[in-house]
Amino acid sequence: MKQKDFTKGPIAQSLLSFFFSMLLANILQQFYSFADMVIIGKGLGDTAVAAVGNFTTFSFFVTGFVMGVTNGFSVVISQVYGEKDYEALRRAAASSVKLCALSALILTGIGLWCLHPVLHLMQTGQTLIKDCLSYGYVCFGGLAITIFYNLLSAVLRAVGDSRTPLLAIAVASGVNIGLDLLFLYVLDTGVAGPALATVLAQFVSVAICGGRLYKMEEFRLGKCDFICDRKLEWELLRNGVPMALMNAVTSVGCIFVQGCINGYGVAYTSAYSACNKYVNLFMLPGITLGFAVSAFTGQNFGAGELGRICGGMRAAGIMALVSSLILGTILFFFSEPLAGLMLAGREAAGYTALFLKFLAVFLVLLNLLFVSRSCVQGMGKPAVPMCSGIVEMAFRIGVIFFGLPVFGFTAAIYAEGAAWAGALFLNLASCLHFLRHKLSTCKL
């Protein structure tokens, strides 16, 4: 399994080969997350689904921060890899490990301490609180494993290796589903069992990704690589923290929406929890394109190949449109069966089906958002995505606050569409501006 050098070869072919193996990995990852919800729903009922959904809304505040930090670190690593400076590559990897270890300590404490107050702030029903806490304490207890899985997989993607994360997720998916069934149907652990299954499955992923990096000569870290390098650590944080804040700010909007939804009863809450799972599933091509564009842009930016970045944007944009058309058609015409797959209650399933029909129309905005935002990130401009996170939050909160009393559950998808449209405009305009400015500077 060799890593891919994006600075050479056909652009579309490079992106496609990287995209499909990574898409399969992301599908598998969402599959076992989706399988959690299906197994919980069928084994414990819609109330348990609502409880896990409430926790997931808050946990994205923490895990989204983690993903932002690690993806920001991977931008620096991809740029250094594009420059072929392997000494700097090892130092960047070592500094990333140190910073992630510190982040794990801090964020675990924050998650465990804030979980109960935030659930009350979100107006989580008393029937859901116990299950939310049982699921949440296990997940946050294993947060360090989640952090290092995100770091190791991000580093592998940065150097063009999409196959190892695929292998890791494939193995972890089987472990996760098997443990779900064991904990729920044999050991009768309640919702805490699937949470523990997820943590243990991620540990398997960490072992596989870490083993692969250890075998790569470029990442054979020595003691000298861990020597404090303030300039390098600042560069990592300069890219990682704004991207983390972007995710954190976006999640604040989601928490606000969840709180408003919770005020309308369990049917709304269960439906919104199911809808979020489907959003996460059907936006996988967009997320995957974003990862591919980030690695592609980072390597070529480090190598000074700006023309290839423009070509990569065009190819990724076409891929985003095609995937939106295909998946949007599935969502629109199969919304009712998809809703019934996860939810037993007729009212909640009806709300979910309505949400999915609207999602089919707005999906193209989300896919193009991932492409444009990742291009900006790959060029080392993290402030723009952070500002776009603020735009997303403002649009999402505004629409849901004023729209929910008027449009009912439909306002939830209006809020998503408005948030994605606002963030897309900001990132796309900034991406085109940065590329034009860089190209004109190079010509001079």
Side-chain angles (χ1 to χ4, degrees):
M1 290 182 285
K2 293 183 178 180
Q3 54 269 32
K4 184 176 290 294
D5 187 346
F6 284 120
T7 63
K8 301 174 183 177
I11 292 174
Q13 183 178 336
S14 297
L15 278 173
L16 281 170
S17 62
F18 188 76
F19 169 79
F20 281 116
S21 57
M22 193 161 54
L23 176 62
L24 184 54
N26 286 335
I27 289 173
L28 286 171
Q29 186 171 29
Q30 283 301 319
F31 173 74
Y32 78 67
S33 175
F34 184 79
D36 268 347
M37 293 295 277
V38 171
I39 293 171
I40 290 170
K42 299 304 181 185
L44 300 175
D46 287 0
T47 300
V49 172
V52 174
N54 267 259
F55 165 73
T56 302
T57 300
F58 169 57
S59 72
F60 180 67
F61 180 83
V62 177
T63 57
F65 193 93
V66 168
M67 291 174 65
V69 167
T70 54
N71 286 335
F73 292 173
S74 74
V75 168
V76 176
I77 289 171
S78 66
Q79 290 179 352
V80 175
Y81 184 77
E83 295 171 358
K84 305 297 187 289
D85 187 344
Y86 298 124
E87 182 180 347
L89 182 68
R90 285 189 291 272
R91 286 189 284 111
S95 295
S96 297
V97 169
K98 291 191 297 181
L99 292 172
C100 280
L102 179 61
S103 299
L105 183 64
I106 295 172
L107 292 174
T108 297
I110 291 174
L112 293 173
W113 182 62
C114 292
L115 178 58
H116 198 242
V118 170
L119 290 174
H120 280 291
L121 186 65
M122 290 166 57
Q123 303 182 60
T124 305
Q126 289 301 314
T127 57
L128 307 180
I129 287 286
K130 182 180 178 181
D131 282 346
C132 284
L133 293 175
S134 297
Y135 193 89
Y137 285 145
V138 175
C139 289
F140 282 139
L143 187 61
I145 295 173
T146 303
I147 290 174
F148 277 98
Y149 165 68
N150 277 279
L151 174 65
L152 297 179
S153 59
V155 170
L156 285 167
R157 290 194 303 267
V159 298
D161 182 355
S162 59
R163 294 184 181 180
T164 301
L166 170 59
L167 173 63
I169 290 299
V171 175
S173 296
V175 171
N176 189 86
I177 294 171
L179 290 176
D180 273 347
L181 297 172
L182 173 66
F183 289 141
L184 274 183
Y185 294 102
V186 178
L187 301 180
D188 193 24
T189 59
V191 294
L196 181 58
T198 299
V199 171
L200 294 175
Q202 286 186 333
F203 181 78
V204 173
S205 297
V206 169
I208 293 173
C209 291
R212 168 60 179 149
L213 284 169
Y214 181 77
K215 292 178 181 178
M216 294 168 61
E217 189 174 344
E218 300 95 317
F219 288 99
R220 291 286 180 84
L221 305 182
K223 290 183 179 180
C224 59
D225 296 313
F226 287 91
I227 295 174
C228 184
D229 186 335
R230 297 295 183 192
K231 183 178 179 181
L232 178 57
E233 289 173 0
W234 166 250
E235 182 64 16
L236 288 166
L237 291 172
R238 188 186 72 82
N239 279 274
V241 171
M243 291 168 66
L245 291 175
M246 175 196 73
N247 286 344
V249 167
T250 300
S251 73
V252 169
C254 294
I255 290 172
F256 181 89
V257 171
Q258 183 75 66
C260 291
I261 292 289
N262 288 346
Y264 284 75
V266 174
Y268 267 39
T269 303
S270 301
Y272 190 65
S273 298
C275 290
N276 280 333
K277 285 298 179 182
Y278 278 118
V279 170
N280 291 337
L281 182 63
F282 279 85
M283 72 181 184
L284 284 180
I287 291 177
T288 306
L289 273 173
F291 286 148
V293 168
S294 180
F296 182 91
T297 302
Q299 288 191 24
N300 282 287
F301 191 82
E305 297 285 348
L306 301 179
R308 288 181 64 84
I309 296 177
C310 294
M313 276 290 291
R314 285 192 295 269
I318 294 171
M319 293 165 67
L321 292 172
V322 171
S323 66
S324 299
L325 179 62
I326 296 171
L327 294 180
T329 301
I330 295 171
L331 274 170
F332 190 85
F333 289 105
F334 294 92
S335 56
E336 286 83 5
L338 289 171
L341 179 64
M342 190 177 294
L343 295 168
R346 182 176 297 179
E347 184 181 4
Y351 292 140
T352 302
L354 182 65
F355 185 104
L356 296 180
K357 284 186 183 294
F358 279 95
L359 176 61
V361 177
F362 291 126
L363 191 61
V364 64
L365 299 176
L366 183 60
N367 284 353
L368 291 174
L369 168 59
F370 281 121
V371 170
S372 58
R373 186 168 65 193
S374 297
C375 185
V376 175
Q377 291 170 347
M379 289 188 288
K381 306 290 184 181
V384 172
M386 181 180 69
C387 292
S388 76
I390 297 174
V391 170
E392 278 195 64
M393 178 186 70
F395 276 44
R396 190 172 278 118
I397 288 176
V399 173
I400 201 70
F401 183 78
F402 293 105
L404 199 58
V406 178
F407 300 106
F409 193 81
T410 311
I413 188 57
Y414 291 159
E416 297 303 310
W420 298 338
L424 170 61
F425 176 80
L426 178 59
N427 281 283
L428 186 58
S430 300
C431 180
L432 295 175
H433 170 74
F434 290 139
L435 281 173
R436 286 173 183 164
H437 176 71
K438 267 292 184 181
L439 286 169
S440 63
T441 303
C442 291
K443 289 177 182 178
L444 291 175

